[in-house]
């Protein structure tokens, strides 16, 4: 996996080889695709499910894992024709998830799929589980069976545009060139999300490139709730938190991690926003590390336009600087009895964000788009950056090694197109066809 540059295709980009450890008996393939408007995993399952299954079986063979669940939200499973418990291959079956947000959160996913609760602050392996995205195991199969490194990306191009697409593109392709080839235009009153409208980031399409973790680029109006809330500065949000909170605790009551029994209470984070919390109440602040940044507290809970998620992100930064995080003790944790009644239905979540009318099944383009230029970033993954192994002026071919893995947790990088290297520094390598 490391040699073929495989990282998590649906999250932060954790190098996939780093998840392999003794003690796992269950593999969970995350095909929940909980963010609205995204159909990347859906289309990958529709077109390449046999390869996803084969990739999962290769992981099981390498690790001794006994069973794989391919976890899919119920409404997407219906569209694909899958049923709960359906056998897709030897020791591989379908697990239907409830149509609620955020089912793609690793901790919620593991609980709904296996009934196991990962202790707060612990990794899934402590519960005997490894989690991979569907595209990740698809890439693992390509690496093992074809010795093919990761040089392409599946992604959704969707949102408020006349035609939506799922396409395959070279890693490092400019988003602006993708839009040009598809005939997609961004209007003056529109913005672009890299990722979903809940947890994605607003990006400039003229400057953005596709990385290994890119699952979608979504164009939406600039006046819908999910955009307006993301445009508030952190300083303004902290002031708002300190002055406007009414103490209703609804953010905590709806927090998906809190509902699982985690000691995460966003309303208390709001109260600590402008205090010297690391000194005054360090045990409280440590629980900020348990937040998955789903945004439920901000978009669905708060009636004062406060984003507890952003306040918690601020506190996470303080924790990182002080090298602090929450660690569970010997106590047991259990989901709240009323959890099923506090979870947010997927369609309701789309309404809250203001994107439901843009949720349209996209067109799949099977031929990979061609790029005139790619920018291969050295930090597309968690861990040490890759180290360039080519120089300006060199000619490279698609699939050729162009950067070695860095020291420690890291992966190498490969050319995603054939062409000439026109720029190299410690941050990126540019190849022109």
């Amino acid at each position: 996996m490391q040699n073929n540059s495989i990282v998590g295709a649906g999250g932060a980009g954790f190098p996939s080889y780093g998840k392999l450890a003794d003690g796992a008996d269950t593999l969970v393939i995350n095909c929940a695709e909980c963010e609205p408007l995204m159909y990347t995993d859906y289309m990958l399952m529709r077109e390449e499910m046999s390869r996803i299954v084969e990739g999962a079986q290769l992981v099981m063979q390498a690790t001794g894992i006994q069973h794989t669940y391919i976890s899919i939200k119920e409404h997407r499973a219906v569209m694909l024709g899958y049923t709960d418990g359906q056998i897709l291959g030897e020791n591989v079956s379908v697990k239907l998830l409830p149509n609620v947000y955020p089912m793609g959160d690793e901790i919620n996913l593991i609980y709904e799929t296996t009934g196991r609760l990962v202790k707060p602050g612990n990794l899934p392996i402590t519960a005997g589980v490894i989690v991979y995205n569907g595209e990740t195991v698809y890439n693992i199969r390509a690496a093992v069976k074809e010795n093919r490194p990761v040089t392409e990306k599946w992604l959704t191009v969707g949102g408020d545009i006349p035609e939506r697409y799922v396409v395959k593109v070279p890693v490092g392709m400019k988003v602006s060139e993708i839009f040009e080839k598809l005939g997609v235009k961004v209007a003056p009153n529109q913005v672009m999300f890299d990722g979903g409208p809940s947890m994605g980031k607003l990006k400039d399409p003229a400057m953005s490139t596709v990385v290994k973790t890119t699952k979608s680029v979504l164009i939406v109006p600039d006046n819908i709730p999910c955009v307006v809330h993301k445009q508030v500065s952190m300083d303004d949000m902290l002031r708002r938190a300190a002055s406007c909170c009414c103490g209703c605790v609804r953010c905590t009551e709806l927090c998906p991690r809190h509902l699982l029994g985690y000691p995460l209470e966003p309303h208390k984070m709001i109260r600590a926003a402008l205090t010297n919390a690391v000194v005054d109440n360090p045990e409280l602040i440590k629980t900020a590390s348990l937040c998955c940044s789903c945004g439920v507290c901000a978009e669905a809970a708060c009636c004062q336009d406060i984003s507890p998620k952003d306040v918690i992100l601020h506190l996470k930064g303080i924790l990182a600087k002080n090298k602090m995080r929450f660690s569970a003790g010997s106590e047991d944790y259990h989901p709240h009895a009323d959890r099923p009644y506090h979870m947010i239905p997927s369609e309701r979540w789309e309404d809250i964000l203001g994107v439901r009318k843009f949720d349209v099944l996209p067109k799949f383009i099977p031929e990979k788009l061609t790029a005139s230029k790619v920018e291969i970033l050295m930090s597309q993954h968690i861990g040490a950056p890759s180290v360039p192994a080519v120089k300006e002026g060199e000619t490279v071919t698609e699939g050729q090694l162009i950067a070695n893995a860095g020291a420690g947790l890291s992966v190498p990088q490969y050319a995603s197109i054939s062409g000439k290297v026109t720029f190299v520094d410690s941050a990126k390598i540019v190849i022109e066809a």
Side-chain angles (χ1 to χ4, degrees), residues 341-416:
Y341 310 107
H342 284 223
M343 296 193 292
I344 300 176
S346 298
E347 290 186 349
R348 173 61 182 143
W349 183 245
E350 288 186 327
D351 287 334
I352 289 169
L353 299 179
V355 300
R356 186 171 177 182
K357 62 183 176 181
F358 311 128
D359 190 355
V360 177
L361 183 66
K363 174 183 178 182
F364 175 60
I365 299 178
E367 302 82 14
K368 183 170 70 174
L369 300 187
T370 58
S372 61
K373 181 173 76 170
V374 293
E375 294 183 359
I376 309 296
L377 302 185
M378 297 297 100
S379 291
Q380 305 184 52
H381 54 270
I382 288 177
S386 308
V387 181
V390 293
K391 297 179 180 178
E392 290 183 27
E394 289 188 33
T395 299
V396 297
T397 58
E398 181 180 343
Q400 179 180 330
L401 178 74
I402 59 173
N404 295 311
L409 187 69
S410 187
V411 294
Q413 304 295 340
Y414 294 84
S416 59

Side-chain angles (χ1 to χ4, degrees), residues 73-102:
K73 275 190 177 181
E74 185 177 5
H75 68 294
R76 291 285 175 88
V78 169
M79 294 169 67
L80 291 164
Y82 293 121
T83 56
D84 192 41
Q86 182 175 344
I87 304 300
L88 299 181
E90 186 177 356
N91 297 321
V92 179
S93 63
V94 173
K95 177 62 179 179
L96 296 195
L97 305 171
N99 295 330
V100 299
Y101 177 82

Side-chain angles (χ1 to χ4, degrees), residues 21-223:
D22 293 336
D25 58 28
T26 301
L27 175 63
V28 175
I29 307 302
N30 185 355
C31 292
E33 203 155 42
C34 69
E35 282 268 34
L37 312 186
M38 294 170 63
Y39 283 87
T40 306
D41 291 340
Y42 166 86
M43 207 62 72
L44 187 62
M45 287 187 288
R46 195 187 78 177
E47 301 293 323
E48 300 285 3
M49 181 61 98
S50 63
R51 295 190 176 195
I52 293 174
V53 171
E54 192 175 358
Q57 290 173 327
L58 289 168
V59 174
M60 288 193 291
Q61 291 169 18
T63 59
I65 284 174
Q66 300 165 12
H67 194 86
T68 292
Y69 295 99
I70 297 182
S71 299
I72 315 170
K73 275 190 177 181
E74 185 177 5
H75 68 294
R76 291 285 175 88
V78 169
M79 294 169 67
L80 291 164
Y82 293 121
T83 56
D84 192 41
Q86 182 175 344
I87 304 300
L88 299 181
E90 186 177 356
N91 297 321
V92 179
S93 63
V94 173
K95 177 62 179 179
L96 296 195
L97 305 171
N99 295 330
V100 299
Y101 177 82
M103 265 302 104
D105 166 47
E106 193 170 61
I107 306 303
N108 276 276
L109 175 75
I110 291 171
Y111 180 73
E112 290 292 340
T113 300
T114 69
R116 304 176 191 177
L117 182 61
V118 179
K119 275 196 170 186
N122 286 9
L123 295 174
I125 191 67
T126 61
V129 179
I130 292 175
V131 178
Y132 283 137
N133 177 259
E135 190 176 359
T136 302
V137 291
Y138 170 83
N139 289 335
I140 290 171
R141 182 232 166 251
V144 175
K145 292 291 188 178
E146 304 170 22
N147 195 28
R148 178 160 55 91
V150 179
T151 60
E152 71 177 28
K153 195 74 186 72
W154 291 59
L155 75 154
T156 301
V157 179
D160 185 19
I161 52 178
E163 184 76 67
R164 292 86 174 173
Y165 303 93
V166 171
V167 295
K168 294 182 287 184
V169 303
V171 172
M173 187 173 183
K174 300 286 288 185
V175 171
S176 57
E177 187 172 12
I178 296 172
F179 287 173
E180 181 183 350
K181 288 183 177 292
L182 296 177
V184 172
K185 298 185 183 300
V186 183
N189 64 338
Q190 291 179 320
V191 295
M192 187 195 82
F193 276 107
D194 181 335
S198 315
M199 301 174 70
K201 296 182 179 180
L202 294 172
K203 294 283 188 71
D204 181 354
M207 303 298 294
S208 296
T209 61
V210 173
V211 296
K212 294 175 189 174
T213 57
T214 306
K215 295 297 279 188
S216 68
V217 284
L218 305 175
I219 300 169
V220 295
D222 61 9
N223 62 350

Side-chain angles (χ1 to χ4, degrees), residues 234 237-238 241 269-270 273 307-315:
M234 182 61 76
M237 187 55 67
L238 291 173
M269 302 295 180
I270 294 295
S307 173
K309 178 192 76 172
D310 288 342
V311 174
I312 291 172
L313 282 174
H314 170 71
L315 295 175

